[in-house]
Amino acid sequence: MLLVLWSHPYSAYGQKASVALYELGLPFEQKLVDARDQALMADFRAISPFAKMPALVDAGAGRTIYESSIVIEYLDRLAGGGQLIPADPDAALEARWIDRVVDSYVGWPMNRIISGKFRPEGQHDAYGSEQDAQQIATAWDTLEDRLGDGRTWGAGESFTLADCAAAPILTYARRLVPFGDRPLLKAWHGRLMARPSFRRALEDAAPFGDLMPAPPAVD
């Protein structure tokens, strides 16, 4: 089995996929996506038409999968199933729901805020960035409420797709919108930071320095 993950180690969605690979114990090669390399980007677009990271190539099966949540669904099945996507239908639904909240209401607005920070002077969208920050804050409240049942991980007592998504995205988004007075969210994030699979993903990113255009979280 030869798995190639096209991504960048500092990409939150790329880290989401690499956490899953490390969690499942699946060996893989990471192909660095570098927007400055036009020839490489042409190859990347040939397998990922929207040029979005990550993209997974399973050479043995002759398959290419992109979109991080679908990549993880595929990897879980490849590893035998029932690990990152729980076998129980209700538990699987909860894992997918948390994943969607994290991706859609934290990850996407986070990326818009970050993109805005790189706009030329005079072209910043302060109103749009404030709306995105409010959406992230609403997601923090939603997750805090969901964690109120005493669960250990994002969707229950097992580490799942939900946690693969949350580990990197919460880590970076809290630098833009602090957790504030949300102790359950902070505690969950602390467990994510200590998870060996996420620590390995962070180690992969370390050689690239700190690419996040916001100071480290202090809350």
Side-chain angles (χ1 to χ4, degrees):
M1 176 173 58
L2 176 59
L3 299 176
V4 179
L5 184 70
W6 286 70
S7 186
H8 189 285
Y10 208 91
S11 160
Y13 290 101
Q15 285 182 15
K16 174 180 169 179
S18 61
V19 166
L21 284 157
Y22 288 135
E23 196 70 31
L24 295 168
L26 295 172
F28 70 102
E29 172 191 339
Q30 189 159 82
K31 185 77 170 179
L32 180 66
V33 175
D34 184 350
R36 298 168 299 180
D37 187 331
Q38 294 304 309
L40 181 142
M41 290 305 294
D43 291 341
F44 181 46
R45 288 189 177 90
I47 64 168
S48 181
F50 301 103
K52 297 294 186 181
M53 300 178 283
L56 180 80
V57 177
D58 182 348
R63 298 196 65 176
T64 298
I65 313 290
Y66 51 91
E67 289 299 320
S68 58
S69 299
I70 307 304
V71 167
I72 292 174
E73 294 251 6
Y74 181 78
L75 292 172
D76 189 70
R77 189 174 67 183
L78 201 62
Q83 297 184 66
L84 299 180
I85 309 298
D88 176 76
D90 288 337
L93 191 66
E94 182 70 4
R96 292 186 178 102
W97 186 82
I98 294 290
D99 171 72
R100 290 295 81 220
V101 169
V102 170
D103 269 14
S104 301
Y105 305 115
V106 182
W108 295 351
M110 173 187 75
N111 283 342
R112 287 193 296 267
I113 293 172
I114 292 171
S115 295
K117 290 180 177 292
F118 291 103
R119 288 185 178 183
E121 194 65 36
Q123 296 185 26
H124 297 290
D125 179 8
Y127 178 72
S129 292
E130 178 58 29
Q131 285 186 310
D132 285 329
Q134 289 177 5
Q135 189 170 89
I136 294 172
T138 299
W140 290 164
D141 289 336
T142 301
L143 294 169
E144 179 76 9
D145 181 68
R146 205 69 164 195
L147 292 163
D149 63 2
R151 64 185 65 180
T152 301
W153 297 107
E157 293 310 301
S158 299
F159 190 98
T160 67
L161 163 69
D163 303 288
C164 294
I169 293 175
L170 267 61
T171 296
Y172 298 124
R174 72 177 299 196
R175 294 173 65 167
L176 299 168
V177 180
F179 287 156
D181 185 20
R182 299 179 180 91
L184 300 178
L185 187 60
K186 289 180 184 177
W188 176 33
H189 184 248
R191 292 188 289 274
L192 292 169
M193 289 293 294
R195 190 76 176 186
S197 56
F198 184 44
R199 295 182 68 84
R200 289 185 68 180
L202 290 176
E203 289 169 4
D204 292 342
F208 296 90
D210 188 348
L211 303 180
M212 180 70 176
V218 295
D219 66 330

